[in-house]
Each structure stands twice: as C-alpha cells, then as structure tokens.
C-alpha cells in the first residue's frame, strides 16, 4: 500500500509513469541502504574492482609485497575467484605459516574448488592456531559443508561454534539455516531467537551493521 501511494504521488508530481517507477525504485533503494541494508551495494563491487586493479599494479612494481598479494587473494575470494586466489595464496605459506586467517582463506579456496581433503585440513589447521579466528565462521562453514548427508560432523562443528558464543547476527542466521537443513526445527528456532535477542542488545552503531541479518532472522521467525 505504501509503495502504491508513493507511486501515485510521484506520478502526480512527474506526470510520466515510467519515470515515476524509476524514481520510486531509486528512493526505495536509498532508504534500504540507509536504514535496512537488504539490497546489495552497487558501489562495493566497483570499489573492489578498483582496489584489485591497484593491487595488481602494486605487485608488478613490488613483486615481494606479500601483504598486497594476500589482500588481492582475499578480494578475489569475495569475487568467488577461488582458483585465482589460490594462485596468490599458496606461495605465501612460508610467510603466513602461523596465521590462522591465512589458513582459513586457503581452506575457503580449496573447499569451493572441490578439494575437500585440503579444504577441511586447512580450515582445521586455522582453528588449531586460533579457535576464535573470524569469530567462529570456519566452524559454520564446515557445518554447512557437512550438512548434506554427514549430520554428526555438521552438528559437532555447530556445537563448537556455540561454545565461542558469537554475537554476530549473521552467524546465527547461518546457524539457523544449517539446523533447518539438518531437519532440527527446534534448534533452528532457538538460533533464530538467540540472534534476535542479541540484536536487541546491540548498541545503535552496531545495529546498523547487523540489521540486514536481523531482518532475515525475523523473516525466519515469522515464516515458521
């Protein structure tokens, strides 16, 4: 009803229905980006591509710049360019041997590239170095990986994640989805409610960062 009223107002103001629809969509997008965050940013991919280009240039000028290579690999992971990311990550192992985040990045690439053995081994090594690396995200990733047919392993990784007691609404949204995939409606509901409880306790600036996931959790709760 609100969208229809907005369209009628814009049509009355502009006089062209197509332009009114375009303006309405732009306004809804801006409002969502400002207050909710459900829609993806149209600028983030452009900034990422620009940063990738600059990192490639930096590496060409300084072939031994390992920090730039690692950052480039992470940006390629965000773009789901796992094979190319591995190209940069693997030679960095002697430098980042003791870095849990490095090993987890390596695990992401191997798992998404279809090499389960190396992917799981790299991720577990990251957790050995630091069980709280990336706020427990590796546990959720392993749980999601094993959720199809290997329930015991998936549940074990979920339990390990719970012991970390993360305050991330995104993590609880993932956790609820995994439990639902495993057919455990009770735990899925518990994860959903816990995520919403945590969101209600967050400071205002943090709520803005977590609002997208809180909305997803709310939808999960309402659709049960």
């Amino acid at each position: 009803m609100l969208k229809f009223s907005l369209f009628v107002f814009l049509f009355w103001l502009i006089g062209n229905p197509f332009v009114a629809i375009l303006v309405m969509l732009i306004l809804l997008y801006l409002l969502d980006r400002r207050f909710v965050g459900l829609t993806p940013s149209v600028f983030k991919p452009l900034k990422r591509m620009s940063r990738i280009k600059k990192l490639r240039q930096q590496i060409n000028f300084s072939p031994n710049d390992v920090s730039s290579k690692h950052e480039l690999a992470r940006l390629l992971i965000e773009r789901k360019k796992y094979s190319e990311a591995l190209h940069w990550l693997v030679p960095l192992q002697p430098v980042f041997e003791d870095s849990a985040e490095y090993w987890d990045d390596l695990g992401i690439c191997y798992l998404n590239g279809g090499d389960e053995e190396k992917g799981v081994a790299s991720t577990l090594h990251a957790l050995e170095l630091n069980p709280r690396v990336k706020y427990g995200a590796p546990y959720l990733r392993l749980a999601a990986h094993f959720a199809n047919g290997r329930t015991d392993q998936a549940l074990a990784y979920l339990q390990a994640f719970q012991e970390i007691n993360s305050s991330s609404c995104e993590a609880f949204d993932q956790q609820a989805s995994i439990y639902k995939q495993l057919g455990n409606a009770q735990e899925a509901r518990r994860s959903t409610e816990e995520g919403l409880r945590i969101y209600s306790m967050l400071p205002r600036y943090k709520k803005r960062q977590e609002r997208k996931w809180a909305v997803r959790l709310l939808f999960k709760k309402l659709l049960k």
Side-chain angles (χ1 to χ4, degrees), residues 73 75-87 109:
L75 292 175
L76 291 170
I77 289 173
E78 290 182 13
R79 293 196 62 209
K80 303 186 187 304
K81 302 283 186 179
Y82 303 112
S83 178
E84 188 177 355
L86 270 177
H87 167 77
C109 293

Side-chain angles (χ1 to χ4, degrees), residues 16 25 41:
N16 185 309
L25 292 175
S41 170

Side-chain angles (χ1 to χ4, degrees), residues 11-177:
F11 179 49
W12 171 81
L13 185 67
I14 298 171
N16 185 309
F18 298 105
V19 176
I21 291 174
L22 179 61
V23 172
M24 183 180 70
L25 292 175
I26 292 173
L27 287 174
L28 291 174
Y29 172 79
L30 292 174
L31 287 171
D32 174 79
R33 292 302 305 166
R34 176 64 179 85
F35 297 106
V36 182
L38 287 178
T39 55
S41 170
V42 297
F43 301 108
K44 186 176 180 179
L46 297 177
K47 291 180 180 179
R48 183 167 55 213
M49 288 299 298
S50 175
R51 182 58 181 163
I52 287 175
K53 182 179 179 180
K54 289 180 181 179
L55 286 170
R56 292 188 192 278
Q57 293 173 344
Q58 173 66 22
I59 293 169
N60 284 335
F61 285 121
S62 303
N64 296 322
D65 188 345
V66 294
S67 296
S68 293
K69 291 179 180 180
H70 194 189
E71 184 182 354
L72 175 59
R74 285 184 166 178
L75 292 175
L76 291 170
I77 289 173
E78 290 182 13
R79 293 196 62 209
K80 303 186 187 304
K81 302 283 186 179
Y82 303 112
S83 178
E84 188 177 355
L86 270 177
H87 167 77
W88 294 104
L89 282 174
V90 172
L92 299 179
Q93 182 175 334
V95 179
F96 294 105
E97 184 69 35
D98 297 324
S99 169
E101 292 192 357
Y102 165 80
W103 283 99
D104 185 56
D105 291 339
L106 205 60
I108 292 172
C109 293
Y110 281 129
L111 278 177
N112 285 280
D115 192 335
E116 179 182 292
E117 183 178 355
K118 288 185 178 180
V120 173
S122 297
T123 306
L124 290 178
H125 185 58
L127 291 168
E128 288 176 4
L129 291 171
N130 180 8
R132 296 181 178 272
V133 63
K134 297 181 182 179
Y135 305 101
Y139 288 117
L140 287 176
R141 194 180 312 115
L142 289 172
H145 178 75
F146 287 111
N148 293 318
R150 288 172 281 186
T151 304
D152 291 342
Q153 288 171 284
L155 289 175
Y157 289 123
L158 281 176
Q159 184 177 359
F161 166 75
Q162 288 176 333
E163 293 173 357
I164 293 178
N165 193 25
S166 172
S167 61
S168 167
C169 294
E170 179 182 2
F172 279 102
D173 177 71
Q174 294 179 29
Q175 188 178 19
S177 297

